[in-house]
Amino acid sequence: MLEVEGTRGHARASYGSAMTAPSTHGVVLFDGTCAFCERSVRFIATRDPHAYFRFGASQTAAAHALLAGFGETRASTKSIVLVEDGRLYRKSTAVLRIARRLSAPWSFAAIFLAVPQPLRDAAYDLVAAVRHRIAGTSNACEIPPPEIRERLI
């Protein structure tokens, strides 16, 4: 049975036989129709020295199942999502927890986790509101490069 404990910015889950958590990898869920998000995935993948992260478009069945395990839906998250160590993180917390595992100097961005979450999320929301204007939309049928393809969920 899945138990979910919610806190600001993330949820914690205990996994039973219905679902297993990736124990050695974090999973990044992103909007597969957003060119900014897809470029962010490429950015992460090329700066992830230990290939820690796995990736999935939030529109996929695998992402829906992963989110459902936390009592969430794509509509309820509406942001980048990181699932790590049985917890779900979103918005700025997800971005900064991802950054802390990247190669330097990007890992230094994790210091901003000390900034109060409402302020961080306000900055995240500003970028999220204009992301399609910054980078446009994406061709969801585009085949990702091999270094990302092998890391898709």
Side-chain angles (χ1 to χ4, degrees), residues 7-11 79 88-94 96 112-125:
T7 58
R8 290 186 353 178
H10 60 273
S79 73
L88 183 145
Y89 303 93
R90 59 187 110 201
K91 294 190 175 190
S92 66
T93 303
L96 295 172
F112 291 108
L113 284 165
V115 173
Q117 184 180 349
L119 294 175
R120 289 187 281 116
D121 282 350
Y124 177 94
D125 289 341

Coordinates of all heavy atoms in Angstrom, one line a residue, residues 7-11 79 88-94 96 112-125:
T7 N 4.2 17.7 2.2 CA 4.8 18.9 2.8 C 5.0 19.9 1.7 O 4.8 19.6 0.5 CB 6.1 18.6 3.5 OG1 7.0 18.1 2.5 CG2 6.0 17.6 4.7
R8 N 5.3 21.1 2.1 CA 5.4 22.2 1.0 C 6.5 21.8 0.0 O 7.7 21.5 0.4 CB 5.8 23.5 1.7 CG 4.6 24.1 2.4 CD 4.8 25.4 2.9 NE 6.2 25.9 2.8 CZ 6.6 27.1 3.1 NH1 5.8 27.9 3.7 NH2 7.9 27.4 3.0
G9 N 6.2 21.7 -1.2 CA 7.1 21.5 -2.3 C 7.4 20.1 -2.6 O 8.1 19.8 -3.6
H10 N 7.0 19.2 -1.7 CA 7.3 17.8 -2.0 C 6.4 16.8 -1.2 O 5.7 17.3 -0.3 CB 8.8 17.4 -1.7 CG 9.2 17.6 -0.3 ND1 9.6 18.8 0.2 CD2 9.1 16.8 0.8 CE1 9.8 18.7 1.5 NE2 9.6 17.5 1.9
A11 N 6.4 15.6 -1.7 CA 5.6 14.6 -1.0 C 6.5 13.4 -0.7 O 7.4 13.2 -1.5 CB 4.4 14.2 -1.8
S79 N 4.6 21.5 -13.2 CA 6.0 22.0 -13.1 C 7.0 20.9 -13.4 O 6.5 19.7 -13.6 CB 6.2 22.6 -11.7 OG 6.3 21.5 -10.8
L88 N 8.8 13.3 -3.8 CA 8.4 14.0 -5.0 C 8.7 15.5 -4.7 O 8.2 16.0 -3.7 CB 7.0 13.8 -5.4 CG 6.5 14.5 -6.6 CD1 5.5 13.6 -7.3 CD2 5.9 15.8 -6.4
Y89 N 9.5 16.1 -5.5 CA 9.8 17.5 -5.4 C 9.3 18.2 -6.7 O 9.4 17.7 -7.7 CB 11.3 17.8 -5.2 CG 11.9 17.1 -4.0 CD1 12.4 15.8 -4.2 CD2 11.9 17.6 -2.8 CE1 13.0 15.1 -3.1 CE2 12.4 17.0 -1.7 CZ 13.0 15.7 -1.9 OH 13.5 15.0 -0.8
R90 N 8.9 19.5 -6.5 CA 8.5 20.2 -7.7 C 9.0 21.7 -7.7 O 9.6 22.1 -6.7 CB 6.9 20.2 -7.8 CG 6.2 20.8 -6.6 CD 4.7 20.6 -6.7 NE 4.4 19.6 -5.7 CZ 3.3 18.9 -5.7 NH1 2.4 19.0 -6.6 NH2 3.1 18.1 -4.7
K91 N 8.8 22.3 -8.7 CA 9.2 23.7 -8.9 C 10.7 24.0 -8.5 O 11.6 23.2 -8.9 CB 8.3 24.7 -8.2 CG 6.8 24.7 -8.8 CD 6.0 25.8 -8.1 CE 4.7 25.8 -8.8 NZ 3.9 27.0 -8.4
S92 N 10.9 25.0 -7.8 CA 12.3 25.4 -7.5 C 13.0 24.4 -6.7 O 14.3 24.2 -6.8 CB 12.3 26.8 -6.8 OG 11.8 26.7 -5.5
T93 N 12.3 23.7 -5.8 CA 13.0 22.7 -5.0 C 13.5 21.6 -5.9 O 14.7 21.1 -5.7 CB 12.1 22.1 -3.9 OG1 11.6 23.2 -3.1 CG2 12.8 21.1 -3.0
A94 N 12.7 21.2 -6.9 CA 13.2 20.1 -7.9 C 14.4 20.7 -8.6 O 15.4 19.9 -8.8 CB 12.0 19.8 -8.8
L96 N 16.6 22.9 -7.9 CA 17.9 23.1 -7.1 C 18.4 21.8 -6.6 O 19.6 21.6 -6.5 CB 17.6 24.1 -6.0 CG 17.3 25.5 -6.4 CD1 16.9 26.4 -5.2 CD2 18.5 26.1 -7.2
F112 N 21.0 28.0 -3.0 CA 19.7 28.7 -3.0 C 18.6 27.9 -2.4 O 17.5 28.5 -2.2 CB 19.3 29.2 -4.4 CG 20.2 30.2 -5.0 CD1 21.2 30.0 -5.9 CD2 20.2 31.5 -4.4 CE1 22.0 30.9 -6.4 CE2 21.1 32.5 -4.9 CZ 22.0 32.2 -5.9
L113 N 18.8 26.7 -2.0 CA 17.8 26.0 -1.2 C 17.6 26.6 0.1 O 16.6 26.4 0.8 CB 18.2 24.5 -1.1 CG 18.0 23.6 -2.3 CD1 18.7 22.3 -2.2 CD2 16.5 23.4 -2.5
A114 N 18.5 27.4 0.6 CA 18.4 28.1 1.8 C 17.5 29.3 1.7 O 17.0 29.8 2.7 CB 19.8 28.6 2.3
V115 N 17.2 29.8 0.5 CA 16.2 30.9 0.3 C 14.8 30.3 0.6 O 14.5 29.2 0.2 CB 16.3 31.4 -1.1 CG1 15.2 32.4 -1.4 CG2 17.7 32.0 -1.4
P116 N 13.9 31.1 1.3 CA 12.6 30.6 1.5 C 11.9 30.1 0.3 O 11.9 30.8 -0.8 CB 11.9 31.8 2.2 CG 13.0 32.5 2.8 CD 14.2 32.4 1.8
Q117 N 11.2 29.0 0.4 CA 10.6 28.4 -0.8 C 9.6 29.3 -1.5 O 9.6 29.3 -2.7 CB 9.9 27.1 -0.4 CG 9.3 26.3 -1.6 CD 8.6 25.1 -1.2 OE1 8.8 24.6 -0.1 NE2 7.9 24.5 -2.2
P118 N 8.8 30.0 -0.8 CA 7.8 30.9 -1.5 C 8.6 31.9 -2.5 O 8.1 32.2 -3.6 CB 7.1 31.7 -0.4 CG 7.1 30.7 0.7 CD 8.5 30.1 0.7
L119 N 9.7 32.4 -2.0 CA 10.5 33.3 -2.9 C 11.1 32.6 -4.1 O 11.0 33.1 -5.2 CB 11.6 34.0 -2.1 CG 11.2 34.9 -1.0 CD1 12.4 35.4 -0.2 CD2 10.4 36.1 -1.6
R120 N 11.6 31.4 -3.9 CA 12.2 30.6 -4.9 C 11.1 30.2 -5.9 O 11.3 30.3 -7.2 CB 12.8 29.3 -4.4 CG 14.1 29.5 -3.6 CD 14.8 28.2 -3.3 NE 14.2 27.6 -2.1 CZ 13.5 26.4 -2.1 NH1 13.4 25.7 -3.2 NH2 13.0 25.9 -1.0
D121 N 10.0 29.8 -5.4 CA 8.9 29.4 -6.3 C 8.3 30.6 -7.1 O 7.8 30.4 -8.2 CB 7.8 28.6 -5.5 CG 8.2 27.2 -5.2 OD1 9.2 26.7 -5.7 OD2 7.4 26.6 -4.4
A122 N 8.3 31.7 -6.5 CA 7.9 32.9 -7.3 C 8.8 33.2 -8.5 O 8.3 33.4 -9.6 CB 7.8 34.1 -6.4
A123 N 10.1 33.0 -8.3 CA 11.0 33.2 -9.4 C 10.8 32.0 -10.4 O 10.8 32.3 -11.7 CB 12.5 33.1 -8.9
Y124 N 10.6 30.8 -10.0 CA 10.3 29.7 -10.9 C 9.1 30.0 -11.7 O 9.0 29.8 -12.9 CB 10.1 28.4 -10.0 CG 9.8 27.2 -10.9 CD1 10.8 26.4 -11.4 CD2 8.5 27.0 -11.3 CE1 10.4 25.3 -12.2 CE2 8.1 25.9 -12.1 CZ 9.1 25.1 -12.5 OH 8.8 24.0 -13.3
D125 N 8.0 30.4 -11.0 CA 6.7 30.7 -11.7 C 6.9 31.8 -12.8 O 6.2 31.7 -13.8 CB 5.7 31.1 -10.7 CG 5.2 30.0 -9.8 OD1 5.4 28.8 -10.2 OD2 4.6 30.2 -8.7

